[in-house]
Amino acid sequence: MTDRNQLSLDVDVQHGAFHLAIACSLPLAGVTAIYGASGAGKTTLLRCIAGLHASPHGHMHFRQQHWQHLPTHRRGLAYVCQQASLFPHLTVSGNLDYAQRRARRAGHQREEIIALFALAPLLARAPQQLSGGERQRVVLARALLSQPQLLLLDEPFSGIDQAQRTALLPYIRHLSQQLPIIMVSHDLRDIECLAQHIVHLADGRLIAQAPASTLLPSLRAHSDSDRVAALEAENIRLRAALAGQQRLMG
């Protein structure tokens, strides 16, 4: 029997030339980060969990509920993608109202969510009038108002600057105390700030998974060595270009 505190999955997806094949169990507490380089399969895995990519083989169980062939709208989750969108024809208040109407069960009151995300000054604004950080706060508030059992975040800090990122971190930390979050990120800084558990992917395969405190040191070391190698390669390229120019001038 699947542990009620785990998401157990076995996915096998062919997406063009890319093949994702992963079997693992993810804890349903705090923040689990799916980490890897571009093209590792992070977003594909998140979309499989959301039911947006079909995996014809394997299984998926969420707290003993069979999710393998369950449509997205019946999974009771909220999915926030990289380019988080709000309804452009509705104000911030209208976007929140829409989410509350779609809630599958009773839960947080609208006023509580507005206070939690400091949205009162933004309620009358259109989405086009929001900064990137303000937009993300509204998107997260709207997701929470829908009363999900699970929150999926795909690069939640994409497209916002460092100040907005720093301001957004406490909101996600607070959310993680109320419901489990699975977050895709390629940035170890975000993972270090938020995650309790890490799943490391490469080329559509599971490389490692462990508590963040166990896995972060090796990921940092690997990331540092990659940066050094990239800098060395760039220096070699620049020296070769300079030498070529000198030969032409000589």
Side-chain angles (χ1 to χ4, degrees):
M1 183 68 71
T2 305
D3 191 326
R4 286 191 59 82
N5 295 315
Q6 289 186 339
L7 171 64
S8 175
L9 54 90
D10 181 356
V11 298
D12 191 327
V13 174
Q14 190 77 36
H15 187 57
F18 180 74
H19 184 204
L20 176 74
I22 293 173
C24 63
S25 292
L26 309 182
L28 292 174
V31 177
T32 295
I34 303 175
Y35 172 75
S38 178
K42 305 184 298 296
T43 295
T44 300
L45 178 58
L46 202 69
R47 288 176 64 82
C48 285
I49 295 170
L52 300 173
H53 269 322
S55 177
H57 309 293
H59 67 80
M60 189 176 300
H61 291 89
F62 176 89
R63 290 182 174 153
Q64 300 178 349
Q65 303 171 24
H66 185 61
W67 272 14
Q68 182 66 15
H69 303 294
L70 199 66
T72 300
H73 69 276
R74 293 184 57 197
R75 296 190 184 198
L77 54 81
Y79 178 62
V80 178
C81 58
Q82 287 189 41
Q83 302 300 323
S85 60
L86 296 169
F87 294 115
H89 62 289
L90 297 177
T91 62
V92 168
S93 181
N95 273 277
L96 298 181
D97 289 342
Y98 176 82
Q100 191 166 35
R101 288 195 299 270
R102 293 184 68 248
R104 300 172 72 242
R105 55 196 173 92
H108 299 281
Q109 296 299 314
R110 186 177 186 275
E111 292 73 19
E112 179 186 348
I113 298 296
I114 289 170
L116 173 63
F117 288 91
L119 298 181
L122 309 179
L123 291 176
R125 293 190 194 176
Q128 301 90 324
Q129 298 172 306
L130 303 175
S131 70
E134 290 169 343
R135 179 183 294 266
Q136 283 295 78
R137 276 162 44 206
V138 176
V139 168
L140 290 172
R142 187 177 68 175
L144 188 58
L145 270 173
S146 68
Q147 300 304 317
Q149 303 178 78
L150 175 66
L151 179 59
L152 306 179
L153 302 178
D154 191 355
E155 300 283 4
F157 302 106
S158 175
I160 63 175
D161 61 28
Q162 182 60 40
Q164 293 171 336
R165 173 186 174 275
T166 301
L168 194 59
L169 281 169
Y171 295 105
I172 297 181
R173 286 198 196 100
H174 187 86
L175 282 178
S176 71
Q177 297 169 10
Q178 302 182 47
L179 77 165
I181 296 175
I182 300 177
M183 176 185 78
V184 161
S185 180
H186 69 280
D187 194 327
L188 287 176
R189 295 174 303 169
D190 299 338
I191 291 173
E192 188 170 12
C193 289
L194 292 171
Q196 289 75 51
H197 193 83
I198 301 174
V199 175
H200 183 198
L201 305 185
D203 299 321
R205 299 295 184 271
L206 177 65
I207 302 301
Q209 73 170 106
S213 58
T214 301
L215 199 50
L216 267 171
S218 62
L219 292 178
R220 283 196 212 98
H222 189 268
S223 179
D224 289 343
S225 65
D226 284 349
R227 278 195 291 268
V228 169
L231 286 172
E232 289 177 347
E234 180 64 10
N235 284 335
I236 291 171
R237 187 189 68 78
L238 290 173
R239 285 197 297 269
L242 181 59
Q245 288 180 348
Q246 290 173 340
R247 283 195 299 272
L248 289 173
M249 294 174 64

